[in-house]
């Protein structure tokens, strides 16, 4: 019998600051299986809003790597570098509703005041031109101090951070990650975000934006991070090794095992496709370790 159409839309949103490493593969596999086990869509979005941190050729390489691992996405790949018109529209709306404001404070000044931005420019009505833009979190019904994560349960966020007017556009004109990611997730109709636990602390800011824009936030799952030592995640910045595109099977099995899914002997392990087919059938969020990091 055909499955009823699913309303689930998930995504994988890599930044092209380097090749995919084991940690990003875990996020790709986890988000893929969570979507496909519910007959949902799995979208890929390249988060290329920070040109200084972009590595030439990384976007193409990431997409080739996903294909080599059998992780085939639905619909067209979206590039954040092509979404400026949507970000500008939202910036205008936030400005008109006085939910954001321009800020001229330097990093040095904020550091002198203890490192947390205290809203100095909230009531100054500075012009937007060439200034950073911040969200006025005092316009929220209440600051976002916790949220529900479907793996970890209730997540308590740093109360001081929850009160901080965060940046949505930088002085150098670049859109902030929290702005771009929220607008794209809204525009793509994402129903659930599955990503690494390094992004737990940013989630409050993203939920704040949803509220100010009058949108329902998606549900959240933050997967354990692969670390080499406690507190040291694998990342493009610390030059984690790129995963092998030529011999993907051992690494795919390792990612599944990391996520609590051991593929049995009986499964044909000669192709990523048969392994992923088994994984789609047997994926259970309850088997994923309820940890924010796991040493590998
Ligand atoms: N682009 C972000 C990263 O690579 C992930 C964004 C997200 O999944 O929300 O760390
Ligand atoms: Zn300021």
């Amino acid at each position: 019998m055909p499955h009823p159409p699913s309303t689930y839309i998930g995504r994988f949103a890599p930044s092209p600051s380097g090749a995919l490493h084991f940690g990003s593969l875990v996020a790709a596999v986890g988000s893929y299986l969570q979507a496909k086990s519910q007959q949902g869509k799995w979208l890929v979005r390249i988060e290329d809003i920070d040109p200084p941190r972009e590595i030439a050729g990384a976007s193409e390489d990431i997409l080739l790597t996903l294909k080599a691992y059998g992780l085939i996405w639905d619909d067209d790949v979206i590039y954040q570098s092509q979404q400026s018109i949507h970000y500008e529209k939202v910036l205008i709306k936030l400005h008109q509703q006085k939910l954001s404001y321009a800020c001229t404070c330097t990093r040095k000044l904020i550091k002198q005041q203890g490192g947390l931005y205290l809203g100095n420019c909230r009531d100054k009505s500075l012009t937007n031109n060439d200034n950073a833009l911040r969200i006025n979190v005092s316009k929220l019904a209440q600051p976002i101090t916790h949220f529900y994560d479907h793996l970890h349960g209730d997540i308590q966020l740093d109360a001081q951070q929850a009160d901080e007017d965060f940046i949505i556009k930088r002085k150098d004109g670049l859109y902030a990650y929290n702005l771009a990611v929220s607008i794209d997730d809204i525009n793509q109709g994402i129903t659930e975000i599955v990503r690494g636990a390094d992004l737990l602390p940013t989630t409050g800011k993203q939920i704040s934006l949803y509220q100010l824009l009058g949108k329902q936030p998606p549900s959240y799952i933050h997967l354990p991070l692969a670390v080499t030592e406690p507190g040291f995640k694998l990342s493009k910045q610390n030059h984690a090794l790129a995963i092998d595109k030529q011999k993907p099977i051992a690494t795919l099995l390792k990612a599944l095992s990391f996520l609590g899914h051991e593929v049995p002997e009986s499964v044909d392990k000669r192709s990523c496709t048969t392994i992923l087919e088994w994984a789609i059938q047997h994926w259970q969020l309850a088997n994923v370790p309820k940890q924010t990091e796991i040493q590998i």
Side-chain angles (χ1 to χ4, degrees):
M1 224 174 66
H3 288 294
S6 170
T7 51
Y8 187 104
I9 306 178
R11 49 61 155 195
F12 175 56
S15 305
S17 52
L20 281 195
H21 52 79
F22 182 73
S24 29
L25 179 69
V26 165
V29 169
S31 57
Y32 174 87
L33 292 174
Q34 185 66 10
K36 292 295 154 186
S37 62
Q38 299 179 63
Q39 296 85 44
K41 275 192 181 187
W42 184 65
L43 309 182
V44 170
R45 181 170 74 231
I46 300 287
E47 304 217 312
D48 54 350
I49 34 157
D50 197 348
R53 285 181 53 188
E54 190 165 340
I55 303 276
S59 301
E60 296 77 8
D61 187 65
I62 288 170
L63 296 176
L64 283 173
T65 308
L66 291 174
K67 279 190 194 163
Y69 279 76
L71 298 164
I72 308 302
W73 55 90
D74 298 297
D75 301 351
D76 290 336
V77 172
I78 293 277
Y79 291 81
Q80 285 192 326
S81 57
Q82 293 165 15
Q83 310 304 314
S84 307
I85 185 167
H86 300 295
Y87 306 152
E88 286 302 328
K89 256 194 215 157
V90 172
L91 287 177
I92 290 170
K93 187 172 159 188
L94 290 169
H95 176 72
Q96 283 173 344
Q97 298 181 349
K98 300 200 179 351
L99 301 174
S100 67
Y101 62 87
C103 162
T104 51
C105 297
T106 59
R107 211 177 280 204
K108 194 171 156 202
L109 176 76
I110 298 169
K111 218 170 167 186
Q112 280 166 0
Q113 295 178 336
L116 215 63
Y117 184 71
L118 302 172
N120 299 346
C121 301
R122 251 186 202 172
D123 305 314
K124 290 188 188 163
S125 302
L126 298 165
T127 62
N128 284 3
N129 301 344
D130 297 325
N131 290 322
L133 301 180
R134 291 182 182 272
I135 279 295
N136 185 346
V137 294
S138 73
K139 301 281 179 167
L140 287 165
Q142 46 196 7
I144 307 299
T145 53
H146 66 110
F147 71 95
Y148 189 78
D149 182 285
H150 284 262
L151 179 62
H152 302 281
D154 192 50
I155 299 282
Q156 209 54 45
L157 296 163
D158 184 289
Q160 279 189 317
Q161 285 233 9
D163 274 332
E164 190 175 36
D165 288 346
F166 58 91
I167 291 200
I168 46 177
K169 190 174 187 182
R170 292 168 15 181
K171 183 181 163 50
D172 59 12
L174 295 182
Y175 302 104
Y177 155 70
N178 286 308
L179 179 86
V181 80
S182 305
I183 296 175
D184 292 340
D185 285 332
I186 290 169
N187 289 348
Q188 293 189 283
I190 302 300
T191 59
E192 183 168 80
I193 292 176
V194 182
R195 60 185 174 193
D198 52 333
L199 294 165
L200 275 169
T202 66
T203 306
K205 297 185 173 74
Q206 293 164 27
I207 295 174
S208 301
L209 270 171
Y210 275 84
Q211 283 205 359
L212 293 173
L213 294 170
K215 304 286 180 189
Q216 185 66 31
S219 63
Y220 292 97
I221 293 173
H222 287 86
L223 299 172
L225 285 183
V227 296
T228 48
E229 288 171 60
F232 286 89
K233 66 167 179 161
L234 294 182
S235 76
K236 293 160 189 165
Q237 281 72 40
N238 67 26
H239 307 292
L241 282 184
I243 50 172
D244 193 341
K245 284 198 283 290
Q246 261 68 50
K247 295 196 203 107
I249 292 185
T251 313
L252 178 61
L253 292 171
K254 196 172 140 195
L256 287 167
S257 164
F258 183 93
L259 290 168
H261 292 71
E262 299 294 341
V263 184
E265 285 295 312
S266 57
V267 175
D268 179 357
K269 300 201 185 62
R270 282 169 302 179
S271 89
C272 288
T273 311
T274 49
I275 294 169
L276 287 174
E277 270 166 15
W278 175 88
I280 291 169
Q281 296 300 321
H282 295 85
W283 175 254
Q284 299 242 19
L285 188 59
N287 290 346
V288 177
K290 289 185 189 8
Q291 286 164 248
T292 53
E293 55 177 53
I294 299 176
Q295 215 160 322
I296 57 162

